[in-house]
Amino acid sequence: MFDWIYSPEAWIALATLTSLEIVLGIDNIIFISILVSRLPERQRDFARRLGLGLAMLTRLALLFSLTWVMGLTDPMFHVFGQGISGRDLILVGGGLFLLAKATHEIHHSLEGEAEEHSATGTASMGMILVQIALLDVVFSLDSVITAVGLADQLMVMAIAIIIAVGVMLFSAKAIGEFVDSHPTVKMLALSFLVLVGMTLIAEGFEVHIPKGYVYFAMAFSVAVEMLNLKLRKKRTEPVKLRKAIEEDEE
């Protein structure tokens, strides 16, 4: 279980996956913040922390269930002479989901219309937690499938998810402001989803792509973007990306 500790590639996967999970979790934080804003002031911090805790549990539950299905390697049926197993279906389906998710998010962030959501009024704690739990299932899919695509060890995937949620729990506001002020960071993360999606589809059709190539592409892109951010410090205000729901000013 702990053999990965001695693998440099596993540590690279952990660092890469944790960073990507944090960026991809920003939308989840935004939605949770909007929902808890309907609660009385004294209950908001508790509900926000509990909501992120539910998000972590949802991700881990989905991760273990997907990993179990990935172990089903016996062919269920054949297509053009090639056996298709439960693992292959998860890989191809997950890859297609990531491609569709990333394309939709990029389009909506640049050309979509933001929907207004009123934060006025109050709601019960139980109702808000139910809504958060349902949203967590939707928001967990892309992060869990990304974990499956980037790491080979289940322990690495689980630790990355736990660390990412922990970081978001204590730094949600700062991380959200950073991503809002540097929209290219979010676009870069979404482009990584496209890369991971294609890798998963290839794996589903028995075409193995060494993950070292994927890590190098991501690391090189991040390094270039960090240099760009440093050089663009004095430029005009960055483009503001559209959000799926914008909270009304109170």
Side-chain angles (χ1 to χ4, degrees):
M1 181 180 295
F2 295 99
D3 292 343
W4 64 270
I5 294 177
Y6 304 101
S7 171
E9 185 175 279
W11 284 101
I12 295 173
L14 179 62
T16 303
L17 184 54
T18 301
S19 302
L20 198 54
E21 291 282 342
I22 292 173
V23 175
L24 294 177
I26 296 301
D27 286 343
N28 199 358
I29 293 175
I30 293 172
F31 275 83
I32 289 176
S33 298
I34 291 172
L35 288 175
V36 301
S37 66
R38 297 168 58 191
L39 292 170
E41 184 71 30
R42 67 181 183 278
Q43 296 180 344
R44 293 180 182 179
D45 285 340
F46 172 76
R48 185 179 294 106
R49 294 191 182 96
L50 190 55
L52 286 171
L54 287 174
M56 181 180 70
L57 293 177
T58 303
R59 281 165 166 75
L60 291 176
L62 282 174
L63 176 63
F64 283 104
S65 61
L66 279 180
T67 305
W68 175 77
V69 176
M70 290 275 288
L72 303 177
T73 55
D74 294 332
M76 301 170 59
F77 54 91
H78 291 77
V79 177
F80 301 113
Q82 179 175 345
I84 303 297
S85 65
R87 173 184 178 276
D88 297 331
L89 290 176
I90 289 294
L91 288 173
V92 175
L96 292 174
F97 173 79
L98 288 185
L99 290 180
K101 171 79 172 177
T103 303
H104 173 76
E105 289 294 329
I106 291 173
H107 172 80
H108 189 84
S109 296
L110 297 176
E111 299 189 20
E113 294 183 0
E115 301 175 6
E116 292 186 354
H117 176 86
S118 176
T120 59
T122 58
S124 67
M125 173 74 77
M127 183 61 67
I128 292 299
L129 291 179
V130 169
Q131 294 180 53
I132 289 175
L134 293 176
L135 281 172
D136 283 341
V137 173
V138 177
F139 281 104
S140 296
L141 286 175
D142 58 352
S143 64
V144 171
I145 294 172
T146 301
V148 173
L150 281 181
D152 294 321
Q153 296 87 359
L154 177 61
M155 185 64 69
V156 171
M157 303 178 205
I159 291 176
I161 290 174
I162 294 172
I163 293 176
V165 173
V167 171
M168 289 189 292
L169 189 61
F170 295 101
S171 310
K173 183 177 180 181
I175 295 171
E177 290 177 350
F178 176 80
V179 173
D180 279 341
S181 60
H182 301 97
T184 50
V185 173
K186 183 175 182 179
M187 290 296 101
L188 193 59
L190 291 174
S191 69
F192 289 164
L193 287 192
V194 175
L195 177 60
V196 175
M198 288 302 302
T199 302
L200 287 174
I201 293 173
E203 293 277 354
F205 287 104
E206 307 300 332
V207 179
H208 179 64
I209 300 177
K211 289 187 172 60
Y213 295 154
V214 179
Y215 300 148
F216 175 80
M218 290 182 175
F220 183 79
S221 299
V222 170
V224 171
E225 181 56 24
M226 291 302 103
L227 289 175
N228 286 336
L229 291 178
K230 186 174 183 180
L231 294 173
R232 292 198 305 254
K233 280 184 177 180
K234 297 182 179 180
R235 76 178 186 89
T236 57
E237 287 295 316
V239 174
K240 294 294 183 182
L241 298 179
R242 293 177 173 87
K243 297 177 182 177
I245 293 181
E246 290 186 349
E247 184 176 3
D248 291 346
E249 296 289 334
E250 293 186 356

